[in-house]
Amino acid sequence: MTSSEASNGKWHRKTKTRQQESKSDQAKSHENMQEDLVEWEKYMKKVKGKVLEQVQDHLRDILDKALTESIEPPAHLKSALNGKTTTKESSRSQRKDDGKVFLERASLLDDLFEISHIRTIYHMFIAVLLIFCLSTLAVDYIDQGRLVLEFDLLFYAFGKLGTVTWAWLAMFIYTLVVPYFILEFWGSLYHKFPSKLGLTLGAGLIFTTIQTCVLGLFPIYTVVHHQLPPASRFIVILEQIRFLMKTYSFIRETAPVILKNTPKEGENPRFPTFSSYLYFLFCPTLIYREFYPRNRQIRWKYVAVTLGKIFGCLFYGYFILVRLCIPVFRPETNQPFSKRTMVLAVFHSILPGIMLLLLCFFAFLHCWLNLFGELLRFADRMFYKDWWNSTSFANYYRTWNVVVHDWLYYYGYRDFLWLSNRRFRAAAMLSVFIVSAVVHEYALAMGFGFFYPVMFCLFAVFGVAFNFTMTDKRQSPVFNVIMWACLFLGQGVQVCLYCQEWYAQIHCPPAGDIKER
C-alpha cells in the first residue's frame, strides 16, 4: 500500500465519521425540537388554564360583589355615617331598621356581557330572531307568492293608545298631586291639632276613599268600558298597580318621620320636597328615598341601544306567538279534545313558554328599567340577581324581581313580623305569597278579559309548596336542574291553558246564548 492510498483511506474514514456525527447531531437537534415543542404545548396549556381561571375569578368576583352589595353596604360607609365602627350584629340590626340601602352598581347582565362567552348566548338569541323573520318571509312567499311581513297582531294588541294615554295621565296627575298634598296637610297639623287620632283617621278616610275611586275603580272602568285590547289593558292595569305601590311606599316612609320629629315652636315640620317625590314616581324602584345615588351623566348611546333592544323584544314576542302558539291553538279544523291532545299541547307550549319568560325578563327587568335608570341617572341598577343559578325556589323568588321583592319584604313580610312581635314567620311568608298571587292573577284577568286562575293556582299552591320544601339548604346542582324543569313545565301549562281559554272565549258561545238559540 502506497502512501497516497493510505492517505485516501484516512480521508474516507474521516468523511464517514463526520457524516455519522452530523446525522447524530441532526437526530439530537430533532429530539431537542420535539422536546421544545412538548414543553411549549405544556406552557400553552398552563397559560390557557390561567386565562380560564382569571375569567372564572372575574365572573365570581362580579357575582360576589353583586350579592354582597345587595345584602348590606360596605363597613366603612356605615362607620362614616354612624361616626363609629359597628359590629356585625349592630350593622344587621341597623340595616333592618333603616330599610333598603341604595348603592351605585350596574345590572348583572351588563357586567356579564363584558365576557365574550356570555355575550355569545345573547348573539344566539339574535340569530334565532333572524331565523324567525326568514321563516315568516318564506312561508308568506310560498302561500301568497310575495314577500309579506305584516305585524297585524302587534297593531291589534296595542290598539286604542289614545284612550290609554289619557287614562294614564289621569292616574299620574292624581298620584302626583293628591297623596303628596294630603300628607303635607296632615303633617303640618299633626303636632298642633288637639285630637291627633281624629285628624289621622279623618285624613286617612278621605285619602282611602279618593284612592279607591281614582286608582282602584277608574282603571277597571276604563279597561272594561272601552274594551281595550290585551297589551293596552296590561299597560293600564300594570300602571295602576305601580302607582298604588309607589303611593304606599311614599306614605309608609314619610309618615313615621313626621311622627317622630316634633318641630320647634314657630317652625314647620320638615317634609320631602316635591321634586324628590316627582323623581320617585319615574325612577325604577318602589322604595321611596328623598335622595338616591346618581350617575354623573347620561350615556345616550346606551339609551339608544337599550331602546332598540326593547323594540327587538316586541318583535321577538310577536314571532313567537305567530310561529309557535297561534298555529297550534287556532287550527283550521276543529280537533276533538282528549288527554293525548292536551298533553301534546302542554309539551308543545314549553318552548314558546320559556322563551316568553326569558323575553319578559330581558325586556322589562333589564332593558326597560335600565332605560329609565339611565335617563334619570339612577345609579342603583340591581333590578335582579343571578336567579338562573338558584337551587331553591326560595332563592328564585328573592332574585327574579328584586324591585317587587324589596317592596313585599319591607312593607309586607317585615311589617307583619313587627305587628306580630316576630312570632309568625311562616304566616308572614304565606301572606306575602297570597298577596303576590292575587295581584298577579288580577293583572292577568284584567289583561286577558277573563278569569282563569291558572297563575294563582301555580303561584299560591305549587309555589308555596316548593318555597317551603326546596329551601336554601339545597345547594346541589341537581336542584338547579329541578328548578329549571319546573319552570319549563309551569310555563308550558300557563301558555297552553291561557291560549286555549282565549280561543274558547271567542269561538264557544256562553251558556245563555245557547239557551236562547
Side-chain angles (χ1 to χ4, degrees):
M1 181 183 295
T2 62
S3 59
S4 60
E5 291 177 352
S7 61
N8 290 332
K10 290 179 181 179
W11 182 80
H12 285 296
R13 285 194 298 271
K14 291 180 179 180
T15 303
K16 290 181 180 180
T17 304
R18 291 174 180 174
Q19 291 177 352
Q20 291 176 356
E21 290 177 353
S22 64
K23 289 181 179 179
S24 63
D25 292 339
Q26 291 178 357
K28 290 181 180 180
S29 63
H30 184 67
E31 292 177 357
N32 292 332
M33 290 177 63
Q34 289 182 344
E35 292 178 357
D36 293 339
L37 183 60
V38 172
E39 293 294 332
W40 177 255
E41 290 178 352
K42 291 181 180 180
Y43 175 74
M44 290 300 296
K45 289 181 180 179
K46 291 181 180 179
V47 172
K48 181 180 179 181
K50 290 181 179 180
V51 171
L52 291 177
E53 289 179 0
Q54 291 177 357
V55 171
Q56 291 176 355
D57 292 340
H58 180 64
L59 179 59
R60 192 180 297 109
D61 291 340
I62 292 174
L63 296 178
D64 291 342
K65 180 181 177 182
L67 292 176
T68 54
E69 288 182 348
S70 64
I71 294 175
E72 59 180 348
H76 68 278
L77 291 179
K78 292 181 180 178
S79 61
L81 292 174
N82 299 332
K84 59 180 181 179
T85 58
T86 57
T87 60
K88 291 184 178 179
E89 293 181 358
S90 62
S91 65
R92 288 177 182 174
S93 62
Q94 179 187 0
R95 179 174 59 86
K96 291 180 180 179
D97 294 338
D98 294 341
K100 180 178 174 63
V101 178
F102 291 90
L103 302 171
E104 184 175 350
R105 50 195 170 184
S107 290
L108 188 55
L109 281 184
D110 285 337
D111 289 335
L112 292 178
F113 284 156
E114 297 295 329
I115 303 172
S116 60
H117 302 287
I118 305 299
R119 194 164 57 246
T120 301
I121 302 176
Y122 171 70
H123 295 161
M124 292 168 61
F125 277 90
I126 297 178
V128 173
L129 175 60
L130 296 177
I131 295 299
F132 274 132
C133 294
L134 292 176
S135 65
T136 303
L137 290 173
V139 171
D140 290 340
Y141 183 78
I142 293 173
D143 293 342
Q144 303 183 23
R146 59 189 180 92
L147 295 177
V148 179
L149 196 60
E150 297 177 350
F151 300 102
D152 50 346
L153 183 61
L154 281 178
F155 290 114
Y156 160 72
F158 288 92
K160 299 183 179 181
L161 287 181
T163 304
V164 174
T165 301
W166 68 256
W168 182 87
L169 284 174
M171 291 189 295
F172 169 72
I173 293 174
Y174 162 80
T175 307
L176 179 65
V177 175
V178 176
Y180 182 86
F181 287 104
I182 285 183
L183 191 61
E184 186 181 32
F185 173 78
W186 169 82
S188 62
L189 296 178
Y190 179 79
H191 296 284
K192 303 175 183 178
F193 208 75
S195 177
K196 294 181 174 57
L197 179 60
L199 175 65
T200 302
L201 291 177
L205 180 61
I206 294 173
F207 175 71
T208 302
T209 303
I210 302 175
Q211 186 92 335
T212 302
C213 294
V214 179
L215 286 185
L217 301 177
F218 172 72
I220 299 175
Y221 171 80
T222 302
V223 165
V224 176
H225 178 73
H226 294 279
Q227 292 295 309
L228 298 180
S232 299
R233 284 171 171 258
F234 277 111
I235 292 174
V236 174
I237 297 301
L238 293 179
E239 284 298 285
Q240 172 201 22
I241 297 172
R242 186 177 72 92
F243 285 136
L244 285 171
M245 297 172 76
K246 293 247 185 187
T247 303
Y248 183 86
S249 176
F250 175 70
I251 297 174
R252 174 65 179 78
E253 296 291 340
T254 305
V257 177
I258 297 175
L259 293 175
K260 293 179 182 178
N261 299 324
T262 303
K264 298 179 181 179
E265 294 184 1
E267 293 183 358
N268 294 323
R270 185 180 179 277
F271 200 76
T273 61
F274 187 75
S275 60
S276 67
Y277 179 60
L278 176 62
Y279 181 85
F280 168 64
L281 290 182
F282 286 98
C283 71
T285 181
L286 297 174
I287 306 295
Y288 173 75
R289 294 289 183 271
E290 193 167 359
F291 301 101
Y292 297 97
R294 305 280 292 273
N295 294 326
R296 294 183 178 180
Q297 60 182 2
I298 300 175
R299 298 172 295 175
W300 291 107
K301 182 179 179 182
Y302 182 87
V303 171
V305 172
T306 305
L307 189 62
K309 291 178 181 178
I310 294 174
F311 283 108
C313 290
L314 286 177
F315 291 115
Y316 214 136
Y318 165 79
F319 285 119
I320 290 174
L321 293 175
V322 169
R323 285 291 154 215
L324 300 180
C325 293
I326 293 179
V328 176
F329 298 102
R330 193 181 64 181
E332 297 296 330
T333 58
N334 294 326
Q335 297 180 359
F337 179 81
S338 64
K339 294 181 179 179
R340 179 179 180 276
T341 56
M342 185 65 185
V343 171
L344 290 178
V346 169
F347 281 96
H348 185 90
S349 303
I350 287 178
L351 178 60
I354 199 64
M355 292 183 70
L356 289 173
L357 176 70
L358 297 176
L359 199 63
C360 291
F361 159 74
F362 183 75
F364 180 73
L365 291 177
H366 180 72
C367 295
W368 184 260
L369 296 183
N370 270 294
L371 176 65
F372 276 85
E374 190 66 32
L375 290 173
L376 297 173
R377 297 189 293 115
F378 185 79
D380 194 343
R381 309 291 180 85
M382 184 58 68
F383 307 129
Y384 53 88
K385 301 176 186 175
D386 58 333
W387 59 268
W388 48 86
N389 291 327
S390 299
T391 55
S392 66
F393 274 89
N395 185 69
Y396 168 74
Y397 292 135
R398 289 194 302 266
T399 56
W400 159 260
N401 188 344
V402 174
V403 179
V404 174
H405 170 266
D406 288 340
W407 193 93
L408 291 172
Y409 173 75
Y410 288 108
Y411 304 138
Y413 177 78
R414 203 178 67 166
D415 285 356
F416 189 97
L417 290 181
W418 177 76
L419 292 173
S420 62
N421 291 324
R422 301 182 178 277
R423 288 181 296 180
F424 306 105
R425 293 184 179 274
M429 187 178 299
L430 183 62
S431 64
V432 169
F433 265 94
I434 296 301
V435 169
S436 181
V438 169
V439 173
H440 278 79
E441 188 57 44
Y442 165 75
L444 290 178
M446 297 304 300
F448 290 135
F450 55 81
F451 176 69
Y452 196 44
V454 178
M455 168 69 80
F456 181 83
C457 293
L458 292 177
F459 206 110
V461 179
F462 294 99
V464 172
F466 285 139
N467 181 74
F468 285 99
T469 55
M470 292 183 63
T471 60
D472 292 333
K473 297 179 180 179
R474 317 287 187 177
Q475 297 295 330
S476 174
V478 176
F479 292 99
N480 182 251
V481 176
I482 296 175
M483 188 272 295
W484 273 105
C486 293
L487 284 181
F488 274 68
L489 187 60
Q491 289 302 118
V493 170
Q494 289 186 69
V495 170
C496 175
L497 294 182
Y498 279 116
C499 287
Q500 287 181 346
E501 183 63 21
W502 174 268
Y503 285 110
Q505 292 284 331
I506 296 175
H507 298 292
C508 299
D513 294 345
I514 296 177
K515 292 180 181 180
E516 291 177 0
R517 293 179 182 178

